Amino acid sequence: MKIKFLGAARTVTGSCYLVETERHRFAVDCGMHQGSGEIEKRNWDAESYDPAGIDFFLVTHAHIDHAGLLPRMVQKGFRGKIYTTPPTRDLLEVMLLDSAQVQEMETRWRNKKRSRQGEKKIQPLYRQQDVLATIPFFEERSYDAPFSPIPGVKVNFRDAGHILGASIVELWIEENGTQSKLVFSGDIGRPAQLLVEDTAPVRTADFLFLESTYGDRNHKNEKDSLDELAEAIAYSYRRKEKVIIPAFAVERTQEILYSLFLLFKDQRLPPDMPVYLDSPLAIRATEIFRRHREYFDDDAKKILKSGEDPLSFPQLHFTETSQESMALNTLAGAAVIISASGMADGGRVRHHLRHNLWREGASVVFVGFQAQGTPGRRLVEGAKTIRLLGDEIAVKARLFTINGFSAHAGQSQILDWLSHFQNPEMQVFLIHGEFPAQKILEELIQKRFGLEVCIPEYLEETVLKPGKAPERKAYPEKAAPPIDWGLILDGVESQMVRVRNQRKRIEAKGWVEQTDLQERFQELSRNLQEILAET
Ligand SMILES: [Zn+2]
Ligand SMILES: [Zn+2]
């Protein structure tokens, strides 16, 4: 049996693990690759997936980096079943439609620019019609109800405690008369996370594919997190400014609503401080959460039983339309605004940051992982100014980073979950993490459990043999094509020399033209400064 790592290998996005047995090909997850332009090119490489040759998908949860490429697969010929839990199916319906809408919009915008430059039009990765064509392939399966999608393969979904409906996949594969067990952790939740159950323990596996997002660090505890949120609210309330919370539409947003409900009950959310949920997607996701209450944890069920709704409180307002959203820019006084995206690299939250980051007394509360290259990461790392929607904005607001709201297990929690496994022969593959974090986790796992650990590369193919070292084959030319830094830096340098030689001609231009050039050089210099600060 062979595994092909089609994504989230030394990165956190694009989760997709293709299992090839003698007669079948199927995959766990099919996520979108997100990040730099070079990383996003991977989304277009249908050839590596061979969608028409895939028998079925097992989807761990509704995050786009785990399921966002499914419509692309259907567009390119996939016709099998997509197995997942009922909440994941419902959440994916709205998430994928939203994703298609964003891509169609961006493509229209880019095509406008391209046709002005006389270039050929481009197509979106997929459209809403591809999503509608994908939905009929979904098959719902509950937790702890094993099923057999094809002869010789048995699957069981366990509660991953990450987001509503998220699964760990247990997979038994029979080949040549022997059975092996594979476990895909999916994304593992944080214990004591609000709303969802704790991660189910798994005791055996021959091969474990373990997420490692927070392989290098631990979270602060939850009580502190609630206090910190209360502190941000008190800080901006006193100064009559806004609290901006960039949050992903699914789970994090609902957890924030639940936390605000708890603070409201505690009288730590002032009744005259309105809270706006400014994201149509988050509003729809919240409705789906309400529909699947049976997946809530015991604490949330208790609140429901008492007749209250943990996702609601009197001063909560939903802003659906963009007019309502824009009206928040001119709103006077203290308020809390929850808006997507969680890393401020897209969505309405960018407008709210542009209107509030420069205000003393405002606050920004980061509640999730901030990936490299996003405005969120730059802010968390202490940028004094930041570029948003074409403007350079000074950072005067107070920043709060509350990792206790993460939907991912921290380092010690990953190790705790790992400690439930009982077979010393188990081989561990670290996936879904940035490489430096994975190296740290690898060492800890080897030290504490003495287990064999592998950190596969993108596109790597690995032959699995129980009890034997995996046979690994990498494709570095395709996975990480070399970047010629000499060529790039020489190019920039020689352009600067040419600019210098033209100084007289620049100075001979009219003053207004010169101010325009001045601005463009200042922008160039800012870009270089940013690069220097990050390397
Ligand atoms: Zn996730
Ligand atoms: Zn993930």
Side-chain angles (χ1 to χ4, degrees):
M1 162 191 9
K2 206 161 80 178
I3 303 278
K4 199 167 162 187
F5 297 89
L6 289 172
R10 306 195 180 188
T11 56
V12 291
T13 69
S15 280
C16 184
Y17 311 101
L18 189 73
V19 183
E20 292 184 350
T21 66
E22 263 175 1
R23 278 173 302 146
H24 296 285
R25 288 173 86 237
F26 58 91
V28 176
D29 283 343
C30 190
M32 194 176 281
H33 303 273
Q34 297 161 314
S36 67
E38 205 55 41
I39 294 277
E40 290 184 1
K41 269 189 203 162
R42 296 174 178 178
N43 290 321
W44 299 85
D45 174 25
E47 203 185 310
S48 293
Y49 294 81
D50 182 15
I54 294 177
D55 297 308
F56 61 91
F57 279 102
L58 305 166
V59 173
T60 61
H61 65 284
H63 278 150
I64 285 298
D65 62 306
H66 290 258
L69 273 191
L70 287 168
R72 177 74 174 168
M73 295 294 117
V74 172
Q75 187 199 81
K76 291 286 171 189
F78 170 73
R79 292 294 177 268
K81 285 180 174 154
I82 304 167
Y83 295 96
T84 196
T85 61
T88 303
R89 197 218 82 101
D90 286 358
L91 287 168
L92 271 180
E93 192 170 337
V94 298
M95 300 276 286
L96 292 175
L97 277 171
D98 179 77
S99 161
Q101 225 168 30
V102 169
Q103 288 169 67
E104 286 177 64
M105 211 166 64
E106 269 173 15
T107 308
R108 266 199 301 276
W109 181 79
R110 282 169 66 185
N111 277 339
K112 239 189 233 163
K113 206 169 152 190
R114 289 174 75 92
S115 54
R116 275 199 301 268
Q117 293 165 345
E119 288 178 62
K120 267 212 319 225
K121 282 193 175 175
I122 51 166
Q123 299 292 320
L125 190 57
Y126 53 82
R127 298 169 192 279
Q128 292 174 70
Q129 69 211 44
D130 298 309
V131 176
L132 297 176
T134 304
I135 289 161
F137 293 111
F138 278 109
E139 283 271 326
E140 296 180 359
R141 293 290 185 274
S142 306
Y143 289 143
D144 305 309
F147 62 98
S148 187
I150 46 171
V153 174
K154 194 174 85 175
V155 180
N156 190 29
F157 290 145
R158 309 288 308 276
D159 195 334
H162 168 58
I163 67 169
L164 203 73
S167 308
I168 296 163
V169 177
E170 289 184 293
L171 193 59
W172 292 265
I173 299 176
E174 216 172 285
E175 215 181 18
N176 307 321
T178 53
Q179 196 187 55
S180 336
K181 183 179 176 191
L182 284 63
V183 172
F184 290 86
S185 73
D187 288 354
I188 309 178
R190 184 174 46 80
Q193 202 174 312
L194 294 176
L195 275 177
V196 291
E197 293 275 7
D198 284 355
T199 311
V202 182
R203 314 222 176 265
T204 60
D206 297 304
F207 307 99
L208 170 65
F209 300 83
L210 180 64
E211 75 121 316
S212 48
T213 317
Y214 284 98
D216 58 345
R217 65 203 125 131
N218 284 310
H219 300 313
K220 295 178 208 165
N221 79 40
E222 191 171 4
K223 201 145 179 43
D224 289 350
S225 300
L226 213 56
D227 288 343
E228 255 181 285
L229 182 60
E231 197 189 324
I233 288 169
Y235 175 81
S236 291
Y237 181 72
R238 273 198 304 274
R239 292 162 181 81
K240 297 191 170 55
E241 292 289 350
K242 310 280 183 296
V243 179
I244 309 294
I245 311 181
F248 289 102
V250 173
E251 191 73 25
R252 204 65 45 83
T253 289
Q254 289 75 29
E255 219 179 321
I256 295 294
L257 290 181
Y258 191 170
S259 303
L260 291 170
F261 165 85
L262 294 174
L263 291 180
F264 171 79
K265 299 271 293 174
D266 244 12
Q267 289 166 355
R268 290 199 283 172
L269 174 65
D272 58 342
M273 189 175 190
V275 175
Y276 297 92
L277 179 53
D278 184 30
S279 156
L281 184 60
I283 294 168
R284 249 163 280 145
T286 305
E287 282 159 11
I288 293 170
F289 269 62
R290 290 211 176 99
R291 262 205 324 261
H292 291 284
R293 292 162 177 208
E294 70 279 14
Y295 283 79
F296 285 7
D297 67 0
D298 290 341
D299 291 340
K301 279 180 185 156
K302 237 181 255 162
I303 295 172
L304 285 170
K305 244 194 182 148
S306 75
E308 286 180 303
D309 181 348
L311 298 178
S312 192
F313 41 91
Q315 69 256 56
L316 174 64
H317 307 278
F318 290 167
T319 45
E320 275 271 5
T321 66
S322 46
Q323 286 93 319
E324 287 171 310
S325 173
M326 255 138 50
L328 296 180
N329 294 332
T330 51
L331 185 84
V336 179
I337 300 174
I338 309 163
S339 187
S341 80
M343 303 189 203
D345 53 345
R348 291 179 177 181
V349 78
R350 291 172 303 170
H351 295 276
H352 300 308
L353 288 174
R354 192 169 65 160
H355 276 90
N356 290 284
L357 260 179
W358 52 275
R359 290 177 191 271
E360 309 250 7
S363 48
V364 181
V365 180
F366 287 101
V367 290
F369 184 77
Q370 304 296 316
Q372 271 169 13
T374 59
R377 177 77 155 246
R378 263 175 245 131
L379 283 171
V380 166
E381 285 179 348
K384 296 270 176 291
T385 66
I386 188 116
R387 256 191 111 64
L388 275 168
L389 299 159
D391 286 333
E392 196 73 19
I393 313 287
V395 182
K396 297 273 194 249
R398 197 167 150 195
L399 301 189
F400 294 80
T401 311
I402 311 185
N403 280 328
F405 279 113
S406 174
H408 281 277
Q411 182 189 69
S412 65
Q413 297 159 340
I414 296 173
L415 293 171
D416 285 348
W417 185 73
L418 191 57
S419 72
H420 293 119
F421 286 88
Q422 288 163 350
N423 40 333
E425 297 283 275
M426 180 168 76
Q427 292 174 22
V428 179
F429 295 82
L430 292 185
I431 51 171
H432 197 295
E434 289 173 359
F435 192 57
Q438 295 183 313
K439 287 303 284 177
I440 291 169
L441 190 63
E442 174 189 39
E443 211 184 299
L444 286 173
I445 293 174
Q446 283 167 341
K447 239 199 230 147
R448 184 161 153 194
F449 303 105
L451 292 167
E452 211 48 64
V453 179
C454 236
I455 307 178
E457 287 178 53
Y458 173 58
L459 293 183
E460 182 174 318
E461 289 174 0
T462 302
V463 179
L464 301 179
K465 288 181 182 157
K468 283 196 197 136
E471 284 167 31
R472 302 171 62 179
K473 191 172 172 206
Y475 297 90
E477 319 74 40
K478 199 172 173 202
I483 298 166
D484 190 343
W485 282 107
L487 191 75
I488 293 169
L489 296 177
D490 287 353
V492 174
E493 236 168 78
S494 73
Q495 279 172 321
M496 279 317 297
V497 171
R498 279 164 57 200
V499 168
R500 206 172 261 285
N501 291 340
Q502 288 185 12
R503 181 166 162 184
K504 283 230 158 62
R505 279 164 61 185
I506 293 173
E507 283 169 346
K509 284 181 187 288
W511 183 78
V512 175
E513 269 175 284
Q514 284 191 46
T515 58
D516 176 54
L517 282 170
Q518 180 188 5
E519 262 169 39
R520 284 156 70 186
F521 276 106
Q522 279 166 346
E523 158 113 48
L524 195 68
S525 162
R526 263 196 303 269
N527 274 331
L528 288 173
Q529 262 168 23
E530 257 180 44
I531 291 171
L532 283 171
E534 280 169 27
T535 46

